[in-house]
Amino acid sequence: PCPVPGSGWACRAVLADGHQRTVRRVAWSPCGQFLASASFDGTTCVWRRHEHGFEVVATLEGHENEVKSVAWAPSGSLLATCSRDKSVWVWEVDEEEQEFECVSVLSAHSQDVKHVVWHPSQELLASASYDDTVRLYREDEDDWVCCATLEGHTSTVWAVAWERSGQRLVSCSDDRTLRVWQRNEGHGGGSEHSWQCVCTLSGYHGRSIYDVAWCHLTGAVATACGDDAVRVFEEVSPVSQKEQDLEDFPIFPDFSPGLTLHCSASVRSTSVEAEPSLRKSPSVSFSRHMSRMARAVFPVSFRE
Amino acid sequence: MAARFSGVLQLTDLDDFIAPSQECIKPVKVDKKPGKAAAKIRIEADGSYFQVNQDGEAQKLEKAKITLNDCLACSGCITSAESVLVSQQSHGELCKVLALNKAAAAHEQKLVVVSVSPQSRASLAARCKLGLLETAQKLTTFLKGLGKCVHHVFDTTFSRNFSLLESQQEFVRRFQRQAEDKKALPMLASACPGWICYAEKTHGSFIIPHISTTKSPQQVMGSLVKGYFAEQQHLPPDRIYHVTVMPCYDKKLEASRPDFFNQEYQTRDVDCVITTGEVLKLLEQEGVSLSDVDPSPLDTMLGGAAEELSSHRGGGSGGFLEHVFIHAARELFGIHGASIHYRPLKNKDFQEVTLERDGQVLLHFALAYGFRNIQNLVQKLKRGKCPYHYVEVMACPSGCLNGGGQIKLEGESSKEELQQVERLYESLRAEVPEENQAVRELYEHWLGGWGSDRALQVLHTQYHAVERASSALSIKW
């Protein structure tokens, strides 16, 4: 029988023997049958679920030190891990051997890599690092290459999230800003894309931003911040007709403005500073989708 | 700085600075007398430390010293040593040494020998748009003109003959004892120092028994120059300054290994390694275009000039797989002139070769270049799923011709450049090591015969697992 949402949670398994140090990240495979766990002990375990629990099907070794993140590609046949050893590894499932083999070791970053996340539909990988950059990787002939470096943040980039369409991604940083990056179509016949920062949100967060999530249903962006607040950002079309060079953004029909934080974007990069008056607003209203999501996390508040 | 070493070495914990939270893990051995628990430390005005124990007795404490050799291949903070190392072994340092040597008194002057690798030569030839023989001859003139005190220029293709012969023999011995010795096979090639440093640090005592004990061509040359050649010149080893020209920076680390340091004469078998790129810098520094230089006859170690250049079959990383394969096919199975067909696996840097007879696989060899393939190989080995008898392991994708110290050509894609260098490299006649007269002579007259104890001692080395003590690092999320 389907569990009724909100009726409670039961602990089904405690997997205590897989790692020797902090488990930093977990990720379900797209098919739901496998769970990957990344640990400070330098390994990534892949667990398979079966009737009576979970068992380890593979332990991915090779990183020199703490593994910070693990992510499954949408196809389910590739896994990415990243570590303080500055590298990003791509692993492939070997169907025959039921094993994972290292397909590429990418040492493009110059510092600790904090987060890796796959494009929602393509085999394109993004990584965020202590070296203040986001890098993108794709397969090229028989190896993986870093195909773009997104520079702009002035401190550690903690996390990255893709928009549902995969045309944009958002990064959050120790520098207290969010940056939205957009892919430009390449010139000529090449498959190379270039990426541009189309929006910088600064002045909203009081401390480092540790995590960001881009909702694939509603397009809203939520952030986790060291100033104890969760913030939610949405895009709106401009109220004022005076703004030029603006592109259309998808708007949900039942979205009611209430308090919204402008993210105006243009082909040229823009910075947005929160106006002082907006920072003090006591009330926030959300669309139907939004409020369900908001209830599921924590109450949103804005610091004075 | 760290970016210039091979990818395999880069991964092994190279930091730009010794971060405050990272400690040097090299234990410092200080003779300590067992004593009472409590003692005070007193710092004198001149900065020296005295330990004052309870009876008031003061004992001067030695300063903890870490030498460059201690630092090497330690998993703590190699890069700080690396920058010292690189400056000690750069072309700038070479010029200084040569200048000092020129100015030194006659009885103190050193004989300077430069050994050039065939990979470096091919890279230079491609860059200067010359043929290989011309490049070798003009390079000889140029190097001998440096500081006006370089006396001999050799080709490490010569010493490679020894590495190949010893590797072949070693494989046959290992194959024959595989029943009693579970660690005999697979045998893993040892010519690549990037691979060796990585193996010692990361997999230690698990993998070391599998690594061939045969010295690399660079180090065999070191033993020959400071051993045989020194004797021929009636000089002690420390009166020779031996420089090698190599396609990568990892070779600098190899030259600095304690195992290649002659304790008796306090001299290294290879004093200084410069990369192909550094030779180019020297040419630029001297305002010389290699094509304008007059050719000189090529030196050989046994005297007399070489008429032509030669190479070995099996690709730009030395040809270890092919030589071991052909020799093993003959010695172990009586199959002469075995043909070699490469079967690429997951990627072009991972290829297999098999020897079959009547449907049975007699030999199963592989090439594994680049870090990801080394990773997969070692993981298979750890799980007991490695099907190979021998693997030619190299740290750089595409092998030594693509080493980190090679010259980057302009105006072409890196793939095309590499193909050009490969074409040049492979244009030479391949010789069979067993048929090289000079090699046979050296074995007989200097090494005490084929397979002798002395040959084993001079041409082989050993490896050391590096203990990784867990250091008190602060956790970073």
Side-chain angles (χ1 to χ4, degrees), chain A residues 68 86 99 101-103, chain B residues 14 346 372 376 385 476:
Chain A
K68 302 291 176 99
K86 306 170 198 174
E99 272 169 11
E101 267 199 1
C102 171
V103 157
Chain B
L14 298 177
K346 284 202 153 290
R372 58 183 170 157
N376 289 330
K385 288 187 172 175
K476 286 191 254 179

Side-chain angles (χ1 to χ4, degrees), chain A residues 21-22 24 40 61-62 64-65 68 84 86-87 89 92 97 99 101-105 107 112 114 141-143 158, chain B residues 10-16 198 202 346-349 371-372 375-376 379-380 382-383 385 415 468 473 475-477:
Chain A
R21 283 184 65 192
T22 297
R24 181 64 184 86
F40 279 8
E61 290 178 345
E64 269 290 294
N65 43 49
K68 302 291 176 99
R84 184 169 64 84
K86 306 170 198 174
S87 65
W89 292 43
E92 190 173 50
E97 310 284 318
E99 272 169 11
E101 267 199 1
C102 171
V103 157
S104 192
V105 174
S107 302
D112 185 355
K114 302 292 190 185
E141 288 182 11
D142 67 357
D143 202 355
W158 282 106
Chain B
Q10 272 187 72
L11 223 57
T12 47
D13 222 357
L14 298 177
D15 278 317
D16 278 334
Y198 170 74
T202 317
K346 284 202 153 290
N347 56 70
K348 63 169 161 51
D349 284 324
F371 189 57
R372 58 183 170 157
Q375 262 305 297
N376 289 330
Q379 290 307 318
K380 280 206 176 82
K382 282 192 159 169
R383 289 198 287 265
K385 288 187 172 175
K415 226 173 46 159
R468 285 156 59 89
L473 294 166
I475 301 244
K476 286 191 254 179
W477 289 92

Side-chain angles (χ1 to χ4, degrees), chain B residues 214-225:
Chain B
T214 304
K215 282 185 184 173
S216 68
Q218 167 172 281
Q219 297 306 141
V220 170
M221 198 54 144
S223 300
L224 293 177
V225 165

Side-chain angles (χ1 to χ4, degrees), chain A residues 36-38 42-45 60 63 67-71 79-83 85 87-91 104 106 113 115-116 118 125 127:
Chain A
S37 57
T43 71
T44 304
C45 277
L60 312 183
H63 276 298
V67 187
K68 302 291 176 99
S69 183
V70 59
L79 200 62
T81 57
C82 67
S83 161
D85 69 11
S87 65
V88 171
W89 292 43
V90 182
W91 308 79
S104 192
L106 298 148
V113 190
H115 193 223
V116 274
W118 291 93
L125 182 66
S127 64

Side-chain angles (χ1 to χ4, degrees), chain A residues 119-288:
Chain A
H119 185 282
S121 52
Q122 293 169 19
E123 289 188 343
L124 177 64
L125 182 66
S127 64
S129 166
Y130 183 77
D131 72 5
D132 309 350
T133 68
V134 171
R135 285 177 186 264
L136 303 178
Y137 312 87
R138 60 171 173 79
E139 199 172 7
D140 180 28
E141 288 182 11
D142 67 357
D143 202 355
W144 283 71
V145 292
C146 172
C147 57
T149 303
L150 312 184
E151 291 169 306
H153 280 297
T154 54
S155 188
T156 302
V157 186
W158 282 106
V160 162
W162 291 91
E163 188 188 26
R164 178 184 58 185
S165 68
Q167 290 294 104
R168 294 188 294 178
L169 54 84
V170 62
S171 56
C172 66
S173 166
D174 192 64
D175 69 6
R176 311 175 187 187
T177 69
L178 278 187
R179 280 175 183 260
V180 180
W181 311 84
Q182 179 154 331
R183 172 192 275 197
N184 297 321
E185 294 311 306
H187 304 292
S191 58
E192 285 302 330
H193 301 285
S194 62
W195 291 77
Q196 262 188 313
C197 177
V198 294
C199 180
T200 304
L201 292 154
S202 49
Y204 295 95
H205 298 84
R207 291 255 161 81
S208 297
I209 315 171
Y210 293 106
D211 203 1
V212 63
W214 201 327
C215 180
H216 287 189
L217 274 181
T218 63
V221 170
T223 60
C225 184
D227 64 8
D228 308 350
V230 174
R231 289 174 179 75
V232 179
F233 293 81
E234 293 182 319
E235 283 179 292
V236 281
S237 49
V239 174
S240 153
Q241 289 300 319
K242 280 187 271 183
E243 302 216 47
Q244 315 215 326
D245 299 329
L246 284 162
E247 298 180 354
D248 278 341
F249 293 106
I251 302 292
F252 288 94
D254 57 354
F255 174 68
S256 49
L259 170 74
T260 55
L261 302 161
H262 263 256
C263 172
S264 73
S266 68
V267 174
R268 288 191 304 278
S269 161
T270 323
S271 274
V272 180
E273 288 275 335
E275 290 180 48
S277 59
L278 285 174
R279 291 186 213 159
K280 284 191 179 173
S281 177
S283 73
V284 182
S285 79
F286 297 100
S287 70
R288 215 167 1 106

